[in-house]
Amino acid sequence: MRDKKFFFALLFLFAICFVMRTLIDLTGKTLRNMNVSELKSFPIIEPYKCKETNNELYGGIKTQICLKPLEVDRFISGYIDEWGSWEGSQVSVVLKAMSVYPTAVFLDIGCNIGMYTVMV
């Protein structure tokens, strides 16, 4: 049990480092050195539509997830619109892990649509 907690903690730290490094590489900036006008310039995006997820996820869990307009996010929103979930098998693994470890804390860092966050 202790080894599993250590493994998940290590995996979590790796994920945070990867996401932060990717953001820095893509933008050349960190949130610390962005000015207020840059933060306010993020576009407001209204949902295109909300759709019920498919029932192929762990435990048959289903929910409504709102999609971005397809001209803004054709890849992820389009995939969810057509198939009912994004990364369904990976989301199922996370859902199973959360049911096995009910006291675990789940953080979705850098989410796009929030498929993992909404499902967990």
Side-chain angles (χ1 to χ4, degrees), residues 96-107:
K96 185 174 182 179
M98 294 304 292
S99 69
V100 171
Y101 303 102
T103 60
V105 175
F106 178 81
L107 297 173

Side-chain angles (χ1 to χ4, degrees), residues 75-94:
F75 190 65
I76 295 174
S77 291
Y79 194 91
I80 294 171
D81 192 24
E82 186 172 340
W83 298 99
S85 70
W86 172 254
E87 297 182 339
S89 60
Q90 291 93 328
V91 171
S92 289
V93 169
V94 171

